[in-house]
Amino acid sequence: MAKDVAILGVGMHPWGKWGKNFVEYGLKACNDALGDAGLDWQDIEVVAGAETVRNGYAGYVAGATFAEALGWSGARVLTSYAACASGSQAINNARAMILADMADVILVVGADTTPKGFLAPNAGERWADPDWLRFRLMGCTNPTYFALYARRRMDLYGATEEDFAAVKVKNARHGMANPNARYHKEFTQEQVLESPLVADPLRLLEICATSDGAAAVVISSMDYARKRNIDPIRIRAVSTVTPTYPMTSVEMPYFSTDSAAVVAPNEMSFKASIAQAAYEEAGLGPEDMSMAEVYDLSSALELDWYENIGLCPEGDAEKLLRDGETTLGGRVPVNPSGGLACFGEAVPAQAIAQVCELTWQLRGQAGDRQIAGAQAGITANIGLFGHGSSVICST
Amino acid sequence: MSQSPIQPTVAGWFTDGDEPKLIGTQCRGCGTYFFPKQELFCRNPSCTSTDFDEVELSRTGRIWSYTKHYYAPPEPYITGDEFEPYTIAAVELETEKMVILGQVANGFEPEDLHTGQEMEVVVEKLYEQDGTDYTVWKWKPRAS
Ligand SMILES: [Zn+2]
């Protein structure tokens, strides 16, 4: 309880390929979040930006860029970068300032404009950078990793291509009811399975695209919310743990793992440890979750997350999916927003968007995708270089 | 017909000959292995050593997973005149207990592979640039 912070407002710019400057998307999300919170920009004490690395200097100093765009007000500023976890790291850093009594109310924002196709490494000859070397030495793209995990699920747990397609079908249906999603199109399992193979066994419709988009949240101390007579949705935990040595799963951008010859690997995988730290901090468990928003970079990866966030034991994710437990109307819907399948990834905005979805669901404002009586939810994601995050919110 | 000169894509990462091996390092403090070579600090949090020996790694291991790539990846991958799909395997080395990715040797398809299968290191051409053939390590199913 002592570590809770309040979510006063949330806002998003719809995901898509709009061809505009990321600042424009971010401003829309900021103004919506401020409006939702019933606050004026000049009430904000700190702007916490999640950095984008694809938009030059303005993106590197995202916090300041948005402070300027909203009108220099003297607000303090901070900017965070943690690959796909940048958004939640920005939330966490903002939360830390509130819990340390350094600020009462903070605007957190992430926005991006992304190029077409595979995410590629930075230009130049960089023979010491694993992210560059994996492309040069073996043509190892992000979908390569997703495919390795997917194939392993098939060989170890009996997952089928039909299961992977069913995840896409589910998320596409969820996203139909989300005005902020980029794709509003239902698919049949057959259509998914007829799309071209990208990295065997994964197909084009099972791998997430990159998108433009922006998301923002206004968070405050619980006291600040109480004084405004608001009974807010609360952030109960933010996990930003790193892996423990030896890291024995193949993670982007590395093309080798640590050696387990000398130190035995942790029984819990890195991804599971991300969620575990969040549950511990929140004092809640998987059984308390009404929903989850997880990083379905590929359809198959969503199944790994079911196990990593504790919705079922290892190897049982396919059963959970086939039983409809993770579909809207099921016991614990996963990616009610439509997930990355319907959004495509807008790196610095995505983890914030996950928190926006939790907030709308927990407030009962999620429209046709509303989960009845939602009490608590968890987000989870993972990024390059040992980054990952998990946020738990509750009513 | 004259042969194109041959060079490794990266010098000092693998040996050549009939039984090529990957070259890594071993920490003098805790004995753990690294590939690519780690020479600045030991990644084991319980070890403060900064001394490493260069070692040849075991040249066989078992498949952790595998995939075939059907789309041309972005630069810096060098595609040549026409993109050819390629297979990638993640192989866990027996002694070093580490998984190392690499393309699969020419002529092998996913249908020829399964998780747990024994593989060995070979060195094959990866791309041609300015008349030189550049080689890299690849994984090849071990003849049983
Ligand atoms: Zn050591």
Side-chain angles (χ1 to χ4, degrees):
Chain A
M1 287 290 162
K3 279 178 154 183
D4 291 356
V5 297
I7 297 179
L8 298 185
V10 291
M12 283 168 66
H13 183 289
W15 264 228
K17 280 281 185 194
W18 311 107
K20 295 178 188 169
N21 190 293
F22 79 101
V23 181
E24 187 175 335
Y25 309 141
L27 269 182
K28 198 261 182 202
C30 287
N31 286 320
D32 282 8
L34 288 166
D36 187 40
L39 291 173
D40 185 80
W41 152 237
Q42 296 195 59
D43 297 327
I44 296 295
E45 297 168 17
V46 181
V47 184
E51 171 178 341
T52 163
V53 294
R54 275 177 265 280
N55 292 275
Y57 216 111
Y60 302 150
V61 295
T65 294
F66 287 106
E68 183 188 22
L70 287 155
W72 292 126
S73 65
R76 294 184 187 216
V77 69
L78 68 87
T79 298
S80 305
Y81 190 69
C84 301
S86 298
S88 26
Q89 199 157 86
I91 291 174
N92 197 39
N93 292 340
R95 180 180 79 134
M97 288 187 79
I98 289 170
L99 295 176
D101 224 1
M102 294 169 68
D104 273 324
V105 59
I106 300 182
L107 172 66
V108 185
V109 57
D112 207 4
T113 302
T114 41
K116 266 203 168 108
F118 293 124
L119 289 180
N122 293 332
E125 299 253 323
R126 297 204 318 284
W127 292 95
D129 177 1
D131 195 34
W132 187 88
L133 282 165
R134 64 169 165 134
F135 285 91
R136 170 59 68 95
L137 296 180
M138 58 192 81
C140 191
T141 65
N142 293 358
T144 305
Y145 294 87
F146 311 152
L148 291 172
Y149 309 143
R151 172 60 63 184
R152 204 167 153 80
R153 279 208 80 81
M154 295 175 87
D155 282 8
L156 259 54
Y157 307 130
T160 63
E161 292 191 49
E162 286 72 23
D163 289 326
F164 302 153
V167 172
K168 171 70 177 189
V169 170
K170 167 184 78 75
N171 288 347
R173 191 171 302 146
H174 289 177
M176 294 293 286
N178 192 341
N180 287 311
R182 172 176 173 186
Y183 302 107
H184 298 99
K185 185 173 187 319
E186 287 210 61
F187 291 98
T188 64
Q189 230 169 358
E190 293 69 35
Q191 286 171 319
V192 177
L193 291 172
E194 279 164 13
S195 69
L197 275 170
V198 172
D200 170 85
L202 295 175
R203 295 169 184 278
L204 193 59
L205 286 173
E206 295 173 322
I207 290 172
C208 102
T210 57
S211 293
D212 302 354
V217 294
V218 175
I219 64 172
S220 78
S221 64
M222 291 302 292
D223 270 351
Y224 186 94
R226 246 174 249 124
K227 279 180 196 143
R228 299 177 62 86
N229 290 315
I230 297 167
D231 181 19
I233 302 305
R234 292 174 290 157
I235 295 179
R236 303 287 298 273
V238 184
S239 162
T240 57
V241 295
T242 50
T244 54
Y245 178 89
M247 175 87 157
T248 53
S249 69
V250 182
E251 299 288 354
M252 295 184 288
Y254 305 107
F255 46 89
S256 61
T257 65
D258 287 332
S259 159
V262 170
V263 182
N266 200 327
E267 281 200 8
M268 188 177 283
S269 72
F270 171 46
K271 280 161 72 193
S273 73
I274 297 170
Q276 176 65 23
Y279 285 131
E280 262 175 40
E281 186 178 309
L284 297 169
E287 66 284 358
D288 299 312
M289 297 298 114
S290 317
M291 60 171 294
E293 282 282 315
V294 302
Y295 241 46
D296 55 323
L297 291 163
S298 82
S299 56
L301 207 59
E302 183 174 303
L303 298 170
D304 288 347
W305 281 116
Y306 293 179
E307 297 160 5
N308 293 322
I309 65 172
L311 300 184
C312 66
E314 204 173 304
D316 282 3
E318 287 74 15
K319 181 173 185 332
L320 205 66
L321 172 78
R322 292 170 195 162
D323 290 350
E325 303 271 52
T326 57
T327 306
L328 275 173
R331 177 170 63 82
V332 54
V334 175
N335 286 328
S337 69
L340 292 176
C342 294
F343 275 75
E345 190 180 16
V347 176
Q350 209 68 45
I352 300 172
Q354 291 182 316
V355 172
C356 291
E357 178 65 12
L358 254 52
T359 304
W360 281 316
Q361 290 285 354
L362 295 170
R363 285 176 177 171
Q365 296 175 337
D368 288 343
R369 63 183 194 285
Q370 181 64 46
I371 297 161
Q375 297 291 310
I378 184 169
T379 75
N381 80 20
I382 188 164
L384 297 179
F385 294 106
H387 287 109
S389 71
S390 176
V391 179
I392 292 176
C393 298
S394 75
T395 52
Chain B
M1 221 175 100
S2 69
Q3 280 235 290
S4 305
I6 296 171
Q7 275 204 32
T9 46
V10 274
W13 282 40
F14 47 87
T15 62
D16 51 14
D18 286 346
E19 298 205 324
K21 288 176 178 168
L22 295 169
I23 302 170
T25 51
Q26 184 174 24
C27 175
R28 281 192 198 167
C30 69
T32 197
Y33 299 92
F34 297 98
F35 179 85
K37 289 178 231 173
Q38 173 71 268
E39 286 161 322
L40 283 179
F41 54 86
C42 181
R43 289 162 67 124
N44 178 353
S46 312
C47 177
T48 56
S49 171
T50 53
D51 295 322
F52 300 87
D53 292 315
E54 203 169 282
V55 289
E56 293 182 355
L57 305 178
S58 43
R59 59 181 307 276
T60 59
R62 291 183 184 280
I63 292 188
W64 185 84
S65 193
Y66 55 96
T67 178
K68 183 169 182 180
H69 216 286
Y70 287 90
Y71 277 63
E75 287 180 358
Y77 188 73
I78 295 174
T79 302
D81 295 337
E82 204 170 322
F83 170 71
E84 296 232 17
Y86 50 90
T87 302
I88 287 180
V91 173
E92 184 175 0
L93 296 185
E94 250 140 77
T95 313
E96 295 81 3
K97 290 189 168 43
M98 64 199 298
V99 178
I100 297 175
L101 270 58
Q103 287 194 359
V104 171
N106 293 329
F108 293 93
E109 295 289 324
E111 296 74 52
D112 304 320
L113 307 175
H114 62 265
T115 298
Q117 183 175 349
E118 203 173 8
M119 305 287 276
E120 65 181 343
V121 175
V122 293
V123 169
E124 286 187 356
K125 175 182 162 183
L126 181 66
Y127 57 84
E128 185 254 310
Q129 201 175 36
D130 303 327
T132 299
D133 284 346
Y134 286 88
T135 58
V136 76
W137 78 90
K138 293 190 183 181
W139 294 110
K140 185 180 174 183
R142 202 168 184 208
S144 49

